[in-house]
Amino acid sequence: MISAKDFVLVSISAALGALSSVIAFRFISSSPKGPRPRCFSASENASVEGSQARSPFDPSKRKGYLSWDDYFMAIAFLSAKRSKDPNRQVGACLVSQNGIILGIGYNGFPRGCSDDKLPWAKLFVLIFGFSGSYVVHAEVNAILNTNHASAAGQRLYVTMFPCNECAKVIIQSGVSEVIYFIEKRVNNSDAAYTASHKLLSLAGVKVRKHHPQMADITLKFE
């Protein structure tokens, strides 16, 4: 037979067990129903953080966009990528005062002249005594590619400072401003470029060096 003491202990244990069951049931029933929290991957977390970085109700404009000067100079550099000249690739972009692109160009052979039948090497030209190269410069191509629009009073963005021959075409076409990125030489000792500076100055064509606001602009098609 169970003693009175054992009976009391069993009764207390049963009561505690019942009380624990009631507490557990109340806790489970009071928990909110719905799907369990989802664990995000690293890429998903980055996406979530990116979406939270800017409120959709923020009325301000996006930061980090291209300035007009960087935009047009970048187009000139992109045009230079079309050049097949192994020595130097130059690009130019003619822009109206209203910011409309009128023409683009790069240095290459004239239309109808095969890229494979004329020499590109400067040494070959010097050996055979030719007076000049066969290449049409980027500035001239940009002005000629204006689709009948006038270059008068417009701006010309060019990756390299124009030579004297290009300066003559720039002046005669009426271009009012030249924005260049680099000089051909640091000390600008080349007579053709010294003449170019003088011609543009005498003709009243404004000349300024481009100072990019962005260090680099990357294009990726993937």
Side-chain angles (χ1 to χ4, degrees):
M1 293 181 65
I2 301 176
S3 64
K5 183 178 180 180
D6 292 336
F7 179 80
V8 171
L9 292 174
V10 170
S11 299
I12 293 173
S13 297
L16 290 175
L19 181 61
S20 299
S21 299
V22 171
I23 293 173
F25 177 79
R26 291 290 300 275
F27 178 79
I28 293 172
S29 62
S30 62
S31 298
K33 296 181 179 180
R36 297 178 62 185
R38 181 185 173 193
C39 295
F40 290 92
S41 64
S43 59
E44 289 174 317
N45 279 329
S47 176
V48 171
E49 291 175 1
S51 64
Q52 293 176 349
R54 180 182 176 90
S55 169
F57 301 103
D58 186 351
S60 62
K61 62 185 177 183
R62 182 180 71 88
K63 297 180 180 179
Y65 57 88
L66 286 173
S67 67
W68 283 116
D69 273 355
D70 280 357
Y71 174 65
F72 294 129
M73 187 60 74
I75 291 175
F77 269 98
L78 185 62
S79 299
K81 293 294 185 181
R82 276 287 306 155
S83 176
K84 301 178 182 71
D85 193 331
N87 303 296
R88 183 177 293 109
Q89 301 81 46
V90 182
C93 180
L94 184 67
V95 182
S96 74
Q97 294 299 328
N98 295 326
I100 299 173
I101 296 174
L102 302 177
I104 55 177
Y106 55 88
N107 54 320
F109 292 156
R111 290 191 182 98
C113 298
S114 173
D115 297 325
D116 301 315
K117 293 183 179 180
L118 294 174
W120 288 100
K122 290 185 176 181
L123 182 61
F124 182 89
V125 174
L126 293 175
I127 290 175
F128 284 84
F130 296 123
S131 60
S133 70
Y134 301 102
V135 174
V136 180
H137 288 189
E139 300 92 323
V140 176
N141 275 327
I143 293 171
L144 293 176
N145 292 337
T146 55
N147 194 23
H148 306 297
S150 174
Q154 317 302 358
R155 294 172 290 162
L156 182 65
Y157 290 80
V158 60
T159 58
M160 181 172 290
F161 193 88
C163 69
N164 62 320
E165 294 300 325
C166 288
K168 296 173 188 177
V169 176
I170 289 170
I171 294 168
Q172 293 299 90
S173 65
V175 171
S176 63
E177 183 178 10
V178 173
I179 302 96
Y180 69 96
F181 187 71
I182 58 172
E183 293 267 8
K184 182 180 180 182
R185 296 182 180 179
V186 176
N187 58 5
N188 198 28
S189 60
D190 193 314
Y193 288 85
T194 301
S196 178
H197 276 282
K198 184 175 293 186
L199 286 170
L200 293 172
S201 177
L202 290 172
V205 177
K206 183 180 178 181
V207 176
R208 63 181 171 92
K209 180 176 174 58
H210 175 60
H211 298 283
Q213 295 183 15
M214 286 191 175
D216 59 82
I217 301 171
T218 303
L219 291 177
K220 190 174 182 181
F221 292 106
E222 296 180 354

